Amino acid sequence: MAKQPQPISPFKNFFAGGFGGVCLVFVGHPLDTIKVRLQTQPKPQPGQAPLYSGTFDCFRKTLVGEGVRGLYRGMAAPIIGVTPMFAVCFFGFGLGKRLQQRKPDDVLTYPQLFAAGMLSGVFTTVIMAPGERIKCLLQIQAATGETKYSGSLDCAKQLYREAGIRGVYKGTVLTLMRDVPASGMYFMTYEWLKNILTPEGKSVSDLSVPRILFAGGLAGIFNWAVAIPPDVLKSRFQTAPAGKYPNGFRDVLRELVREEGVASLYKGFTAVMIRAFPANAACFLGFEVAMKFLNWIAPGL
């Protein structure tokens, strides 16, 4: 295993992770919109065609009907939340690594890296859950033709007015179920790929841009391979009318499997995987660039 850069600084991870998250949203939001619309489209009546026949049909109809702005619908919520969210995510990963080190030059094993990644998933849920709730509602609103919310802030206000803080944080358990194992896979895979791609005798901090992009993109694919089923349940639950699923994700799971089969848990798979590589490649490249800048201006932080 290639030696990890030392010492680990959770605070540098915080600032660099925030910048990486902004890069991810700009690259990945259009396909995230497609993913949510595919996951939440209503079941067609007998003899009727579905609203979207697949990823490319949804992309085409969105582009024709709403223009490029339609692909970026609801982006204000993740942009506002993404900087602190990814900052906290990478901070949690850095802290998780630090907590498992007995001395600063300890090299962590892959299970330890997985555990550190899971901690980051717990950290981000507080920010992620309401941001995801607002984003999903705005993304499906445009598809249905209704205009209940004028924007992210209006959506948050209405949710709070209707159901209090519980309405804003609807879907928190499902967000945890998605992000804790997926974040463990995400960070462990990235560190593993960086080690594999590091030439003998070189440091992982000297990796070229193409290798960072490859490692980050593939880490995103591994992340979503774990995250898609709970993400489908989360999207359905967060956009459902109040009271539709009184027992939470169990009701969503039963309904989906009963009406559409187990394959319904992988709705939006193509959109997710097309998005995962470039978005997460951009995220980790942004993180690494920001980290090098921070190491240059504040080497002792």
Side-chain angles (χ1 to χ4, degrees):
M1 182 186 296
K3 194 169 184 177
Q4 300 163 18
Q6 304 296 335
I8 295 165
S9 172
F11 294 103
K12 287 181 181 176
N13 275 28
F14 179 87
F15 293 109
F19 181 72
V22 172
C23 295
L24 179 144
V25 171
F26 274 111
V27 173
H29 191 79
L31 279 162
D32 186 71
T33 298
I34 302 303
K35 177 204 72 169
V36 171
R37 290 186 178 185
L38 287 171
Q39 289 176 344
T40 57
Q41 67 174 319
K43 184 182 179 183
Q45 296 297 320
Q48 291 185 341
L51 183 60
Y52 307 115
S53 61
T55 299
F56 297 104
D57 182 55
C58 183
F59 182 87
R60 181 184 60 80
K61 286 179 177 176
T62 301
L63 198 60
V64 170
E66 303 168 53
V68 174
R69 290 185 64 182
L71 296 171
Y72 282 91
R73 192 78 60 183
M75 194 177 74
I79 280 290
I80 291 168
V82 79
T83 300
M85 182 186 71
F86 271 81
V88 168
C89 176
F90 278 83
F91 173 83
F93 180 57
L95 181 63
K97 291 195 289 184
R98 277 282 291 273
L99 289 174
Q100 296 181 88
Q101 287 182 310
R102 295 184 177 180
K103 49 186 187 294
D105 60 346
D106 280 349
V107 178
L108 300 181
T109 64
Y110 292 121
Q112 286 175 314
L113 291 170
F114 186 85
M118 288 198 297
L119 181 64
S120 77
V122 175
F123 270 55
T124 57
T125 297
V126 175
I127 302 170
M128 177 74 84
E132 287 276 298
R133 169 99 154 114
I134 293 165
K135 171 181 70 71
C136 289
L137 287 171
L138 290 173
Q139 285 172 329
I140 67 164
Q141 172 181 268
T144 60
E146 299 176 1
T147 311
K148 182 178 180 181
Y149 310 111
S150 61
S152 299
L153 187 58
D154 180 57
C155 182
K157 286 179 179 177
Q158 288 196 46
L159 290 174
Y160 185 79
R161 195 181 304 123
E162 291 167 4
I165 197 68
R166 288 177 62 119
V168 178
Y169 274 87
K170 182 179 179 180
T172 298
V173 172
L174 279 163
T175 305
L176 274 170
M177 289 173 60
R178 181 192 69 177
D179 289 349
V180 170
S183 293
M185 180 64 73
Y186 187 53
F187 284 107
M188 182 190 72
T189 303
Y190 180 64
E191 296 289 340
W192 168 61
L193 288 167
K194 283 204 303 180
N195 288 326
I196 287 178
L197 295 170
T198 300
E200 191 69 32
K202 297 285 186 178
S203 169
V204 290
S205 60
D206 298 326
L207 274 182
S208 65
V209 169
R211 293 187 180 199
I212 291 171
L213 288 170
F214 178 76
L218 211 54
I221 288 176
F222 274 83
N223 169 82
W224 278 104
V226 173
I228 287 178
D231 185 64
V232 172
L233 298 178
K234 180 197 68 64
S235 295
R236 281 291 183 110
F237 183 68
Q238 287 185 319
T239 57
K244 181 176 181 181
Y245 301 115
N247 296 311
F249 74 90
R250 290 172 294 178
D251 285 350
V252 188
L253 178 62
R254 277 194 290 264
E255 180 186 85
L256 272 175
V257 173
R258 181 180 66 249
E259 295 185 359
E260 303 178 48
V262 175
S264 63
L265 295 173
Y266 286 88
K267 277 190 171 184
F269 179 85
T270 303
V272 167
M273 289 306 173
I274 292 173
R275 171 186 178 270
F277 193 96
N280 289 284
C283 175
F284 276 110
L285 179 61
F287 169 79
E288 297 290 355
V289 169
M291 185 64 79
K292 285 187 177 181
F293 177 71
L294 290 169
N295 286 333
W296 177 62
I297 63 170
L301 181 63

